[in-house]
Amino acid sequence: MTNATRFLNAYAKCENQLTKMLDNPSYIPFSQLISRCAKRSKVVSLNQQALREYNELRNAIVHNRGKEEEIIAEPCDSVTEDIERIAKLLCEPSDILKYASMPVKVIDMHTRLRDAFNLMQSMHTSKIPVYQDGRYVGILTLEQLAKVAVNGNLDTTKIEDILSDDKNTQILFVSKSQHVDVVFQYFDQLRDQGLSLLAILITENGKQSEKPLGIITIADLPKILKYYK
């Protein structure tokens, strides 16, 4: 298969997926698809300049003769491989757990802070979800532990003694079927509202009463962005 054929196949996949993303049956020029979808998809947002260039390239390598299309140019290997990469990112099945930390360790309200701290150290994490009777009740952070440690009470204090509902922090739950793009949407939305998103917990159906399958924090965003580019 020539590079031109590969390029056009990948271009068609991108165009089809962008159209589906907008759920609009009417024809929309490719350049407008990019602009609209960039607000919904991090893949499109991060690759929109390349997609605009490939839109122009597509018109340069194909000459329309009535209803027939004639290939008049051949894109290089790097360009062909890059548009195939973007098409794959747009079309691959949703797998948010692919980017999450797993498995998720949880603690209960009766756990001593010293034990919680030791668990954090062993996991190299700064936050752990708190569950009671199989339901989410809050999240313990290293910052909370540090405040208690100043008074030297880690050995006697339990989670239930310090866990509070901070209205300026948020934990969101999403189902495992969600696309990873929602991660960026949630972090951006809450940041614009002046709120802090501590973590996104992924469960079977996005319910607090379900066992957490994975967790994504702001520390995971660079890893996801690297994969997208």
Side-chain angles (χ1 to χ4, degrees):
M1 186 182 297
T2 66
N3 278 1
T5 301
R6 288 171 55 195
F7 178 93
L8 293 175
N9 287 344
Y11 181 93
K13 289 180 180 178
C14 290
E15 185 172 34
N16 182 56
Q17 196 62 29
L18 295 181
T19 301
K20 287 182 179 179
M21 198 176 296
L22 293 180
D23 194 23
N24 191 330
S26 60
Y27 171 75
I28 300 176
F30 194 80
S31 59
Q32 292 184 28
L33 284 175
I34 297 171
S35 297
R36 296 187 188 183
C37 292
K39 300 175 182 178
R40 303 187 179 193
S41 167
K42 204 66 175 181
V43 173
V44 180
S45 175
L46 292 173
N47 294 281
Q48 60 179 315
Q49 183 57 43
L51 286 169
R52 293 186 189 284
E53 293 173 359
Y54 297 153
N55 181 38
E56 296 178 3
L57 179 58
R58 187 267 175 199
N59 295 331
I61 68 176
V62 173
H63 178 63
N64 292 319
R65 295 178 179 274
K67 295 183 179 180
E68 299 296 324
E69 291 185 343
E70 177 184 7
I71 296 176
I72 59 175
E74 194 83 8
C76 64
D77 291 344
S78 61
V79 166
T80 303
E81 291 167 0
D82 191 51
I83 193 172
E84 288 178 335
R85 174 189 66 83
I86 297 174
K88 180 181 178 182
L89 284 173
L90 288 172
C91 298
E92 67 182 1
S94 299
D95 187 9
I96 194 170
L97 286 172
K98 177 179 180 180
Y99 307 94
S101 297
M102 300 183 294
V104 183
K105 295 287 187 180
V106 302
I107 51 180
D108 63 39
M109 294 285 280
H110 307 304
T111 302
R112 292 186 314 150
L113 295 191
R114 173 67 66 185
D115 296 331
F117 176 69
N118 291 338
L119 181 59
M120 281 185 178
Q121 283 195 311
S122 67
M123 295 175 59
H124 305 289
T125 185
S126 61
K127 52 188 69 69
I128 296 182
V130 181
Y131 277 71
Q132 196 66 33
D133 299 324
R135 187 175 183 84
Y136 172 83
V137 292
I139 192 164
L140 180 71
T141 68
L142 195 58
E143 182 180 1
Q144 290 172 310
L145 287 177
K147 291 179 180 179
V148 177
V150 171
N151 299 317
N153 294 324
L154 289 183
D155 291 315
T156 57
T157 307
K158 296 181 179 180
I159 305 298
E160 60 188 345
D161 298 324
I162 69 166
L163 199 64
S164 62
D165 182 19
D166 187 347
K167 292 183 172 54
N168 291 321
T169 61
Q170 296 285 326
I171 300 294
L172 294 179
F173 288 78
V174 301
S175 71
K176 68 176 186 179
S177 62
Q178 284 275 21
H179 195 280
V180 72
D181 266 347
V182 301
V183 171
F184 296 99
Q185 293 171 12
Y186 290 145
F187 272 102
D188 290 345
Q189 288 171 6
L190 290 174
R191 180 200 59 210
D192 293 343
Q193 296 172 25
L195 302 175
S196 174
L197 178 56
L198 285 183
I200 293 176
L201 287 173
I202 304 159
T203 69
E204 186 71 26
N205 300 295
K207 297 180 179 179
Q208 295 187 19
S209 58
E210 296 175 323
K211 178 182 178 181
L213 303 175
I215 184 171
I216 292 178
T217 68
I218 195 169
D220 295 306
L221 298 188
K223 174 180 65 178
I224 302 174
L225 288 171
K226 182 178 180 180
Y227 181 78
Y228 271 21
K229 292 182 178 180

